[in-house]
């Protein structure tokens, strides 16, 4: 068991999300920084999809009620286990009674905590993710409150007991965070209505450093910048959309759909952020700037392959580490 | 994304969309199919099947598929029209130039087809609304429209599967649960199902 000592209401239990129910109107949900959860899970000896906690509001504190193996990943945030420093992307052993504290990130926006055995909440439609918008899944269908006690799943896997002896080097997957005045670059593929935007709108779309407004949550981010206009008025019938879809509503200001996106929408779409770059959005806070760089399918697929290859190698390493104990 | 939409929504195209969606699910590497209104989104793993191959398969199946003649089920939706839970019924009748009774008659005598399920969990896009009952959406959406509200937005009919914001007009209420995440499948209706609204009562 773990007990939540301080939190914000948007911090929630998430796994890799819900699949197979888009045609029932049920969105993905899941950890916004999915690769961070996969890595943290592999480090603590879980399957990559075990449920952890997404922390987007800080400070966050929890108490371990039993000895627990855990890892913190994602945002670069100052973390402490009682008085000990907790490095990111590193396996830690907590003793019963110890308190984990995550402070405001130095870079990035969302921290991920994985626990050996995973957070044990019921599977709803095949996933343990909280759907905050639709109020189901996760812990009672809602964000975490102070005083909540979460059970951890059992595990048959023995973990390394080497104190602070094991972590992941993620530098090949993640370049160091951009300096504060630098835009975060996202690779995009053109969407169905790309060609219906004026040439000027398309240039502006790629050249602008778009501001993430306060209207940014797990459903999506509203951006602010120059107005993007169409060459003609478009009335689209409702169609499927996905996390990463960049829509442009009539006010000309783009919206990026994210983990809790509706499954269908009707606004014209200018581009899609490639899957391998979605985690960068999870780590882009309100007030940060985004730049959209046009790429092609082959690059998008290669980037995804690199991510999967990294996970496979890490899974093999983790299995070796367990073997030594 | 396959976009087969013409200027207006077509039930024939939609039957073909459903059939293509079912076939595409059998293709290795395809994870999900999401029928929209006269369009279809395919979700696939590009490491399991190259994007170009998905495109080819999709176009091939689109050209060759034979839609099932009879597939969907009949779903009966009992409705209390008007009253406090159907507060826009009178305004909609005014807008249509019809009496309230005539609006209820036309709304409940039509047979609707579930074209797609989406946007929010369990929300059904229904085709088959009497064109005279169409009414542009509210300029300012209501922040909370109650679960079970029977609604009209533009030329479409719908039912609220959960309490959520909506700009559609509320003409009545049903107690039929449309979405329950603890049930599998979670939705009471599937694309291709036929819906009939049955009058329980018309309240002033």
């Amino acid at each position: 068991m773990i007990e939540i000592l301080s939190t914000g209401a948007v911090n929630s239990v998430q796994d890799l999300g819900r699949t197979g129910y888009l045609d029932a109107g049920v969105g993905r949900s899941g950890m916004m920084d999915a690769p961070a959860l996969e890595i943290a899970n592999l480090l603590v000896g879980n399957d990559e999809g075990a449920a952890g906690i997404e922390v987007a509001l800080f400070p966050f504190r929890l108490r371990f009620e039993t000895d627990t193996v855990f890892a913190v990943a994602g945002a670069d945030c100052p973390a402490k286990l009682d008085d000990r420093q907790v490095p990111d992307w590193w396996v830690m052993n907590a003793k019963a009674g110890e308190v984990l504290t995550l402070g405001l990130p130095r870079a990035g926006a969302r921290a991920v905590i994985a626990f050996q055995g995973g957070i044990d909440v019921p599977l709803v439609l095949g996933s343990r993710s909280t759907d905050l918008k639709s109020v189901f899944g996760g812990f009672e269908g809602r964000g975490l409150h102070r005083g909540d006690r979460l059970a951890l799943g059992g595990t048959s896997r023995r973990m390394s007991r080497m104190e602070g002896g094991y972590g992941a080097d993620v530098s090949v997957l993640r370049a160091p965070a951009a300096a504060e005045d630098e835009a975060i670059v996202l690779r995009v593929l053109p969407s169905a209505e790309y060609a219906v935007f004026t040439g000027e709108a398309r240039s502006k779309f790629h050249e602008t450093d778009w501001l993430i407004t306060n209207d940014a949550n797990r459903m999506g981010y509203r951006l602010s910048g120059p107005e993007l206009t169409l060459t003609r008025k478009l009335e689209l019938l409702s169609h499927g959309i996905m996390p990463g879809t960049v829509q442009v509503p009539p006010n000309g200001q783009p919206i990026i759909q994210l983990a809790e996106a509706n499954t269908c929408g009707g606004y014209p779409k200018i581009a899609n952020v490639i899957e391998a770059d979605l985690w960068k959005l999870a780590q882009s806070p309100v007030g940060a700037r985004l730049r959209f760089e046009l790429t092609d399918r082959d690059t998008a697929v290669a980037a995804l392959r690199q991510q999967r290859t990294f996970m496979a190698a890490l899974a093999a390493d983790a299995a070796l580490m367990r073997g030594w104990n | 994304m396959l976009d087969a939409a013409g200027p207006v929504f077509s039930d024939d195209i939609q039957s073909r969309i459903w059939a293509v969606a079912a076939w595409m699910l059998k293709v290795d590497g395809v994870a999900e199919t999401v029928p929209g209104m006269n369009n279809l989104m395919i979700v696939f793993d590009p490491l399991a099947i190259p994007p170009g191959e998905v495109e080819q398969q999709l176009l091939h199946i689109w050209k060759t598929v034979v839609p099932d003649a009879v597939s969907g089920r009949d779903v009966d939706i009992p409705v209390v029209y008007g009253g406090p839970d159907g507060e826009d019924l009178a305004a909609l009748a005014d807008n249509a130039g019809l009496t309230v009774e005539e609006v209820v008659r036309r709304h409940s005598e039509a047979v609707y087809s579930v074209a797609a399920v989406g946007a929010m969990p369990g929300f059904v896009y229904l085709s088959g609304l009497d064109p005279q009952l169409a009414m542009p959406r509210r300029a300012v959406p209501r922040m909370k429209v109650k679960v079970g509200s029977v609604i009209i937005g533009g030329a479409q009919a719908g039912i609220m599967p959960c309490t959520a914001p909506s700009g559609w007009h509320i003409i009545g209420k049903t107690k039929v649960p449309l979405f329950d995440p603890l049930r599998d499948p979670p939705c009471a209706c599937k694309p291709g199902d036929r819906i009939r609204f049955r009058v329980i009562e018309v309240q002033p």
Side-chain angles (χ1 to χ4, degrees):
Chain A
M1 281 283 201
I2 53 174
E3 182 188 350
I4 308 300
L5 302 180
S6 49
T7 184
V10 300
N11 299 336
S12 57
V13 174
Q14 299 292 343
D15 60 14
L16 294 179
R18 219 158 251 119
T19 54
Y21 296 95
L22 290 176
D23 63 356
V26 177
R28 280 273 179 270
S29 299
M31 201 66 80
M32 293 263 282
D33 190 343
L37 178 66
E38 290 182 56
I39 293 167
N41 270 330
L42 290 171
L43 287 177
V44 300
N46 292 341
D47 289 332
E48 66 270 26
I53 297 177
E54 176 174 280
V55 182
L57 268 176
F58 301 82
F60 177 83
R61 288 164 64 235
L62 64 78
R63 181 189 292 120
F64 294 97
E65 295 187 2
T66 49
D67 293 1
T68 307
V69 175
F70 73 97
V72 178
D76 171 16
C77 65
K80 279 191 160 179
L81 184 62
D82 278 355
D83 293 327
R84 278 188 290 160
Q85 299 288 335
V86 175
D88 277 358
W89 316 101
W90 207 264
V91 180
M92 298 291 291
N93 298 296
K95 299 205 169 49
E98 285 187 311
V99 172
L100 173 67
T101 305
L102 303 189
L104 203 62
R106 292 174 284 250
R110 287 175 175 80
V112 166
I113 314 171
F115 307 87
Q116 191 170 83
I119 305 261
D120 187 17
V121 291
L123 280 170
V124 178
L125 300 177
S127 164
R128 294 187 168 83
S129 286
T130 315
D131 188 328
L132 293 169
K133 177 185 65 176
S134 306
V135 199
F136 66 82
F139 187 78
E140 298 178 358
R142 60 168 172 82
L144 296 172
H145 297 169
R146 190 174 70 172
D148 285 345
R149 294 175 70 236
L150 308 180
L152 301 179
T155 175
S156 55
R157 295 177 178 177
R158 288 232 319 124
M159 249 332 275
S160 165
R161 281 278 155 198
M162 285 187 299
E163 190 73 13
Y166 180 41
D169 175 5
V170 297
S171 56
V172 286
L173 276 191
R174 300 177 179 234
E180 248 173 63
D181 54 347
E182 243 177 275
I184 296 153
V185 177
L186 304 165
R187 289 167 290 182
V188 297
L189 293 172
S191 276
E193 288 79 46
Y194 185 75
V196 191
F197 286 87
T198 63
E200 193 194 353
R202 277 177 273 154
S203 307
K204 280 182 183 164
F205 177 66
H206 295 299
E207 287 160 8
T208 301
D209 289 350
W210 295 92
L211 178 74
I212 303 178
T213 68
N214 285 319
D215 206 349
N217 55 34
R218 286 178 46 82
M219 284 185 70
Y221 293 173
R222 282 178 187 267
L223 307 180
S224 168
E227 187 180 338
L228 302 180
T229 50
L230 294 158
T231 53
R232 58 187 163 87
K233 198 168 149 50
L234 265 189
E235 288 288 342
L236 300 175
L237 293 173
S238 292
H239 53 264
I241 54 175
M242 288 288 283
T245 300
V246 185
Q247 297 174 311
V248 181
N251 69 0
Q253 302 289 288
I255 302 172
I256 307 182
Q257 296 294 333
L258 292 169
E260 289 198 20
N262 284 349
T263 59
C264 287
Y267 293 135
K269 308 167 292 298
I270 191 166
N272 252 286
V273 178
I274 67 170
E275 187 175 339
D277 281 357
L278 283 178
W279 69 269
K280 293 183 187 172
L281 283 161
Q283 299 304 351
S284 302
V286 165
R289 290 186 181 269
L290 305 176
R291 176 128 21 108
F292 298 106
E293 183 184 278
L294 199 59
T295 188
D296 55 43
R297 275 183 188 174
D298 289 347
T299 311
V301 174
L304 192 60
R305 182 171 289 121
Q306 187 206 12
Q307 219 174 64
R308 299 251 186 106
T309 305
F310 180 91
M311 296 301 168
L314 186 63
D317 281 355
L320 266 181
M321 290 299 291
R322 281 194 301 277
W324 290 345
N325 284 269
Chain B
M1 171 74 70
L2 173 78
D3 187 1
V8 290
F9 175 82
S10 149
D11 281 318
D12 288 343
I13 290 177
Q14 197 64 16
S15 304
R16 210 172 182 84
I17 294 278
W18 300 326
V20 175
W23 276 104
M24 284 302 292
L25 265 186
K26 297 176 189 164
V27 174
D28 278 346
V30 169
E32 297 191 58
T33 56
V34 188
M37 300 295 277
N38 280 186
N39 56 57
L40 177 65
M41 180 170 77
I42 310 288
V43 182
F44 63 95
D45 177 357
L47 301 189
I49 181 168
E53 202 176 317
V54 177
E55 259 171 17
Q56 278 180 10
Q57 295 253 23
L58 183 56
L59 287 173
H60 175 71
I61 293 173
W62 172 254
K63 284 176 192 151
T64 54
V65 77
V66 180
D68 294 339
V70 189
S71 50
R73 301 161 309 145
D74 290 293
V75 182
D76 175 56
I77 306 281
V79 181
V80 174
Y81 284 91
D85 289 329
E87 54 184 301
D88 300 330
L89 180 60
L92 191 118
D94 269 358
N95 181 71
L98 301 170
T99 61
V100 162
E101 290 68 26
E102 182 63 10
V103 168
V104 170
R105 191 185 68 76
R106 291 187 188 208
H107 185 263
S108 58
E109 281 184 358
V111 180
Y112 301 84
S113 161
V114 177
V117 182
M120 60 186 120
F123 185 79
V124 289
Y125 289 93
L126 297 179
S127 65
L129 181 72
D130 184 321
Q132 182 118 23
L133 302 188
M135 182 172 177
R137 290 165 209 195
R138 293 165 57 93
V140 182
R142 288 188 175 94
M143 286 315 289
K144 271 192 177 178
V145 174
K146 278 189 263 179
V147 57
S149 294
V150 175
I151 52 182
I152 288 176
Q156 291 182 75
I159 309 161
M160 289 298 285
C162 52
T163 300
S166 173
W168 294 27
H169 306 277
I170 310 167
I171 63 166
K173 183 165 170 98
T174 181
K175 286 183 176 164
V176 175
L178 287 168
F179 179 78
D180 177 358
L182 301 182
R183 203 166 54 185
D184 200 354
C187 295
C189 307
K190 285 197 309 195
D193 287 350
R194 289 166 301 278
I195 285 191
R196 285 181 181 82
F197 294 105
R198 182 161 53 81
V199 186
I200 301 179
E201 189 188 347
V202 183
Q203 294 184 348

